[in-house]
């Protein structure tokens, strides 16, 4: 993991002092609400339905156990005993007092954490694959590149007042678990013709009111140019992105308006002045960053040790959990374990103080003290010995993190919705619960296989509803909460925005509607076919007919 | 009374008078001309003592200014609202690409908490908003001692100058 140098720490300490001063000036009436709004947003502080909400950055989802313990302490000392993992690998607190936020930041800074640029119209926390560095299908570890981008984007003096927020994601794997094509910039690590690391740059993806799949603006960009190219894209966006209408201010609208060709020309014209300068990344710098992410001290082991084989044979529940929640690993004898934060009747992504402490302990015991957050709002222990899986499973069961549903219909992505969010049209957490209750038979879920179901409480799409294989969106119909359902979305390599099935549904009918959709899939699927493939083959009509049949 | 501004990290009196209509040109002294009327004034400006600056907004195309740069003592970039960040990019292009070395001023909705970034983008003078304390604003220039990126003042990003 990246470890702060003296100057990284100094920057953070100076930031805490700056924000403390800003808070004091606001409380003394020397900053207007609007001025403080822009400042507190750049620091992840929203004012929500019940209280402020503070979003803390987890750079590309990486945490160590000491950091998780501090997150736990904050949830205990400054919140009501819980925290919430977001769909951008960050963590949020729903009840901090505005005047105590500087103290929270100071505590975070003591373990190299912060809330810098977690909201506001600036470059946000860079995200990546939760299995970075251990995935069997990756070209190379994306995290050193993420850290390079993190440093470049942190307090970038030119890009703090962009037309709108700006999100960058990095992917290095076959399957794209970072949904890069739905980001303002998606950086894809590729190999050039000579087998050297290079980058494809995708620009203009996004969700919200206008969901758009990103377009490729640069191919096989040499690493030394990564930052100058990103800077050129940002400059073009900062200068020409719309500022008159907040719903048309994202870069996706600019790329659409200009067309990708003209957009690329503008970027290249800008870039011509920036490349081959001091901004070029020296190889030594890349090597230095890579050295922060060494393989942990793995033991020499073989895959599928005898005890694992026996334990799986003797315990169907354990076997199912290994199948669903454990992921193949680069290193023989290890697996990556996903802790499901999607048990029925728990808000997706929520964790309590005690659970956070427990996760830190488990990481120390079983996974070299490291923890990752996922954009699907779960938590990963990435380096667990296969001969210790059974023991870990037992402990996770006690904690309620062993629901063997990763990738299943009930592994729902869900925004806070009407229960917490002042922008919501409708509640979303109770909808997730309704569906989880309806589909409580694990064997049936396994039979259904991988299905992504995503729920947002309004068009802002924090719950990624557009890119769920099944998407649910809360809408407001004459003051009543209704839900629009879409099918066919996909966040991975074959990125697609789902299509709306038809008129929206009343809250109480949602579980029934999803059941009908699943029934159609089960009837129509050909042996081994996923929900998404079946939908793509048979189209919307059979689903539509069933759902709206009298 | 001349207004106070921050220039080169000190509080000084502003020597420039703003001219936004063609008829307003004072006989002598330093003037800051709105870019909208610059062309109308070209001939009068040539025969006049005193420094000349122009005032622009962040959306102006920098190439438009390129031919004037040698004759300008001041470029003032107006921020209509502090959230409009175009002026930051314009400043960097003027400094880094077009090599402008004269005074570069931020005016309009200019507040303490934006000054550090502005300075790094190449602004060396600031007109903080009238209703704010200029001494307090001056502190904003020293919020940080560490930076990661290349900027208008420091061409080397952190990886070229790591201690
Ligand atoms: C409860 C307070 C929240 C508020 C007020 C809020 C507000 C918003 C708004 C206004 C947008 C749309 C921005 C745009 O399209 O330009 C947005 C987007 C987004 N939010 Fe939230 N949000 C909240 C919580 C969350 C949470 C808890 C998560 C994660 C679970 C989240 C994840 C996202 C993501 C991923 C997007 C980006 C969608 C896109 O690419 O356009 N938000 N949010
Ligand atoms: S999608 Fe809407 S309701 Fe849900 S958190 Fe975002 S803004 Fe709130």
């Amino acid at each position: 993991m990246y470890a702060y140098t003296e100057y990284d720490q100094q920057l953070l300490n100076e930031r805490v002092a700056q924000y403390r001063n800003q808070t004091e000036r606001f409380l003394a009436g020397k900053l207007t609400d609007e001025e403080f709004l822009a400042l507190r947003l750049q620091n992840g502080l929203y004012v929500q339905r019940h209280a402020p909400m503070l979003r803390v950055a987890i750079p590309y989802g990486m945490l160590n156990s000491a950091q998780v313990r501090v997150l736990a302490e904050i949830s205990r000392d400054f919140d009501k005993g819980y925290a919430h993992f977001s769909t951008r690998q960050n963590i949020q607190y729903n009840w901090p007092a505005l005047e105590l936020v500087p103290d929270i930041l100071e505590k975070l800074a003591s373990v190299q954490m912060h809330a810098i640029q977690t909201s506001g119209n600036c470059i946000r926390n860079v995200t990546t694959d939760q299995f970075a560095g251990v995935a069997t299908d990756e070209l190379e570890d994306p995290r050193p590149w993420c850290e390079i981008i993190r440093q470049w984007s942190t307090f970038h003096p030119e890009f703090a007042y962009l037309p709108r927020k700006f999100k960058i994601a990095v992917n290095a794997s076959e399957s794209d678990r970072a949904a890069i094509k739905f980001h303002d910039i998606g950086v894809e690590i590729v190999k050039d013709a000579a087998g050297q690391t290079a980058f494809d740059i995708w620009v203009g993806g996004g969700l919200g009111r206008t969901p758009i799949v990103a377009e490729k603006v640069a191919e096989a960009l040499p690493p030394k140019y990564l930052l100058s190219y990103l800077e050129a894209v940002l400059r073009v966006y900062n200068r020409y992105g719309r500022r008159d209408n907040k719903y048309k201010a994202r870069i996706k609208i600019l790329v659409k308006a200009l067309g990708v060709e003209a957009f690329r020309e503008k970027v290249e014209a800008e870039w011509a002045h920036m490349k081959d300068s001091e901004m070029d990344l020296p190889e030594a710098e890349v090597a230095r960053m890579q050295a922060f992410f060494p393989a942990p001290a793995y033991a020499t082991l073989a895959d599928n040790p005898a005890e694992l084989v026996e334990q799986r044979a003797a315990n169907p529940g354990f076997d199912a959990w290994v199948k669903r929640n454990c992921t193949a690993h680069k290193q023989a004898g290890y697996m990556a374990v996903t802790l499901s934060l999607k048990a029925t009747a728990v808000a997706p992504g929520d964790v309590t103080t005690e659970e956070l402490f427990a996760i830190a302990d488990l990481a120390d015991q079983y996974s070299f003290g490291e923890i990752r957050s996922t954009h699907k709002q779960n938590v990963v222990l990435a380096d667990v010995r296969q001969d210790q899986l059974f023991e870990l499973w037992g402990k996770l069961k006690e904690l309620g993190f062993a629901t063997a549903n990763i990738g299943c219909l009930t592994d729902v992505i869900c925004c806070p919705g009407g229960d917490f969010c002042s922008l919501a049209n409708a509640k979303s957490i109770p909808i997730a619960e309704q569906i989880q209750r309806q589909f409580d038979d694990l064997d049936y879920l396994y039979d259904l296989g991988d299905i992504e179901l995503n729920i947002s409480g309004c068009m802002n799409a924090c719950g990624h509803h557009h890119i769920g294989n099944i998407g649910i969106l809360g809408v407001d119909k004459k003051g009543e909460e209704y839900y629009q359902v879409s099918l066919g979305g996909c966040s991975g390599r074959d990125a697609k925005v789902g299509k709306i099935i038809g008129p929206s549904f009343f809250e109480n009918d949602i579980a029934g509607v999803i059941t009908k959709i699943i029934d159609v899939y089960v009837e129509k699927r050909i042996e081994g076919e996923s929900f998404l493939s079946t939908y793509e083959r048979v189209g919307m009509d059979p689903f539509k007919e069933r759902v709206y049949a009298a | 009374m001349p207004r106070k501004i921050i220039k080169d990290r000190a509080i000084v009196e502003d020597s420039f008078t703003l001219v936004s209509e063609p008829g307003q040109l004072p006989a002598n002294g330093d003037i800051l001309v709105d870019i909208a009327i610059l062309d109308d004034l070209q001939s009068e400006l040539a025969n006049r003592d005193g420094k000349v600056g122009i005032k622009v907004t962040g959306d102006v195309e920098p190439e438009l200014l390129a031919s004037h740069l040698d004759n300008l003592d001041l470029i003032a970039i107006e921020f209509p609202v502090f959230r409009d960040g175009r002026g930051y990019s314009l400043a960097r292009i003027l400094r880094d690409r077009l090599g402008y070395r004269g005074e570069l001023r931020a005016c309009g909705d200019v507040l303490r908490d934006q000054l550090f970034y502005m300075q790094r983008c190449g602004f060396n003078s600031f007109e903080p908003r009238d209703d704010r304390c200029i001494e307090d604003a001056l502190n904003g220039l020293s919020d940080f001692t560490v930076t990661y990126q290349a900027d208008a003042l420091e061409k080397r990003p952190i990886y070229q100058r790591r201690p």
Side-chain angles (χ1 to χ4, degrees), chain A residues 48 86-87 92 164-165 167 207 250 416 460 462 464:
Chain A
Q48 275 312 300
S86 86
T87 46
Q92 305 185 162
R164 204 74 182 82
K165 59 173 148 181
K167 300 176 180 178
L207 301 173
R250 295 288 290 267
N460 287 317
C462 303
H464 296 184

Side-chain angles (χ1 to χ4, degrees), chain A residues 7-8 10-11 14-15 18 21-22 25 30 34-35 38-39 150-152 154-158 160-161 227 231 235 238-240 243 270 273 278-282 285 288, chain B residues 60-62 82-86 88-89 92-93 96-97 111-114 117 120-121 129 132 136 143-151 155-160 162-163:
Chain A
Y7 57 81
D8 296 304
Q10 189 178 340
L11 182 66
E14 288 171 359
R15 169 55 172 173
Q18 182 197 40
N21 172 280
Q22 288 167 346
R25 279 186 284 140
K30 290 182 190 163
E34 195 204 351
E35 289 157 17
L39 300 175
R150 184 193 76 80
Q151 296 196 7
W152 162 78
T154 298
F155 295 136
H156 196 299
E158 190 179 336
Y161 295 95
L227 295 184
E231 186 140 322
R235 183 172 287 173
N238 191 36
R239 294 188 59 211
Y240 300 109
R243 290 174 185 268
E270 201 59 57
H273 299 285
E278 308 245 34
M279 274 195 83
D280 289 1
L281 270 172
E285 171 67 3
R288 177 179 171 275
Chain B
V60 72
E61 283 298 328
F82 70 86
R83 278 176 276 98
D84 185 340
R86 287 176 288 192
Y88 296 86
S89 288
R92 287 206 65 188
I93 293 170
D96 299 350
R97 186 187 311 166
L111 301 168
R112 168 187 167 149
D113 296 289
Q114 283 77 46
Y117 286 146
R120 292 187 59 200
C121 287
R129 227 167 65 190
R132 296 304 156 89
D136 182 50
D143 275 345
F144 294 99
T145 61
V146 180
T147 60
Y148 285 130
Q149 308 78 6
D151 60 33
K155 295 280 164 251
R156 297 167 306 160
I158 187 77
Y159 43 85
Q160 307 280 13
R162 192 168 280 121

Side-chain angles (χ1 to χ4, degrees), chain A residues 74-85:
Chain A
I74 291 171
S75 72
R76 180 192 64 202
D77 300 342
F78 295 91
D79 203 295
K80 296 189 174 179
Y82 64 96
H84 176 81
F85 283 100

Side-chain angles (χ1 to χ4, degrees), chain A residues 140-149 189 197 199 223 226 286:
Chain A
E140 70 174 68
D141 189 344
R143 293 171 300 172
W145 302 105
C146 291
E147 179 58 28
I148 286 169
I149 294 172
I189 299 180
T197 296
F199 302 99
L226 176 64
V286 177

Side-chain angles (χ1 to χ4, degrees), chain A residues 37-321:
Chain A
L37 173 91
L39 300 175
R40 68 174 161 74
L41 280 184
Q42 304 239 339
N43 203 29
L45 190 64
Y46 288 83
V47 173
Q48 275 312 300
R49 198 148 267 192
H50 307 291
M53 174 194 90
L54 179 67
R55 184 180 293 151
V56 173
I58 303 177
Y60 37 95
M62 289 295 297
L63 289 163
N64 61 37
S65 53
Q67 292 174 325
V68 172
R69 287 192 182 96
V70 165
L71 292 175
E73 285 165 23
I74 291 171
S75 72
R76 180 192 64 202
D77 300 342
F78 295 91
D79 203 295
K80 296 189 174 179
Y82 64 96
H84 176 81
F85 283 100
S86 86
T87 46
R88 298 203 70 257
Q89 299 186 302
N90 291 327
I91 192 161
Q92 305 185 162
Y93 294 103
N94 279 315
W95 306 92
L98 186 142
E99 59 277 13
L100 295 181
V101 169
D103 296 339
I104 300 177
L105 298 183
E106 196 167 308
K107 217 168 150 61
L108 288 170
S110 72
V111 286
Q112 311 186 349
M113 292 189 79
H114 57 76
I116 294 165
Q117 290 168 214
T118 52
S119 56
N121 296 335
C122 49
I123 306 174
R124 305 290 189 84
N125 185 26
V126 53
T127 54
T128 193
D129 185 357
Q130 68 269 27
F131 298 124
V134 305
T136 50
D137 67 341
E138 82 182 1
L139 286 175
E140 70 174 68
D141 189 344
R143 293 171 300 172
W145 302 105
C146 291
E147 179 58 28
I148 286 169
I149 294 172
R150 184 193 76 80
Q151 296 196 7
W152 162 78
S153 62
T154 298
F155 295 136
H156 196 299
E158 190 179 336
F159 306 131
Y161 295 95
L162 295 169
R164 204 74 182 82
K165 59 173 148 181
F166 203 93
K167 300 176 180 178
I168 302 177
V170 183
N171 173 51
S173 76
E174 202 55 47
S175 40
D176 184 7
R177 283 172 290 266
I180 62 165
K181 288 176 195 162
F182 293 103
H183 283 75
D184 297 287
I185 293 181
V187 175
E188 167 134 51
I189 299 180
V190 296
K191 295 288 174 187
D192 67 13
Q196 298 296 309
T197 296
F199 302 99
D200 284 356
I201 307 289
W202 297 76
V203 173
L207 301 173
R209 262 156 231 261
T210 322
I212 295 181
V213 178
E215 303 209 54
K216 200 192 277 185
V217 291
E219 212 163 72
L221 186 74
K224 68 172 175 175
Y225 293 141
L226 176 64
L227 295 184
S228 55
Y229 197 88
L230 295 183
E231 186 140 322
V233 172
L234 262 297
R235 183 172 287 173
V236 168
Y237 171 56
N238 191 36
R239 294 188 59 211
Y240 300 109
R242 284 181 63 171
R243 290 174 185 268
D244 58 328
N245 177 343
K246 104 178 206 183
Y247 299 115
K248 301 208 184 302
R250 295 288 290 267
I251 195 172
K252 62 192 172 187
I253 305 290
L254 178 65
V255 174
K256 271 276 172 276
L258 292 174
V260 69
E261 303 300 330
F263 179 81
R264 179 184 298 120
E265 272 171 36
K266 272 194 184 304
V267 170
E268 301 221 327
E270 201 59 57
W271 184 46
H273 299 285
M274 296 175 174
K275 63 196 283 210
D276 300 315
S277 72
E278 308 245 34
M279 274 195 83
D280 289 1
L281 270 172
E283 278 173 27
E285 171 67 3
V286 177
R288 177 179 171 275
M289 286 301 186
Q290 284 167 338
F292 282 111
F293 301 90
Y298 292 126
T300 309
L301 300 167
D303 274 329
N304 291 315
E307 57 263 62
L308 177 66
V309 175
E310 278 165 34
Q311 288 153 346
R312 290 180 70 164
N315 298 278
F318 174 62
D319 184 56
W321 176 81

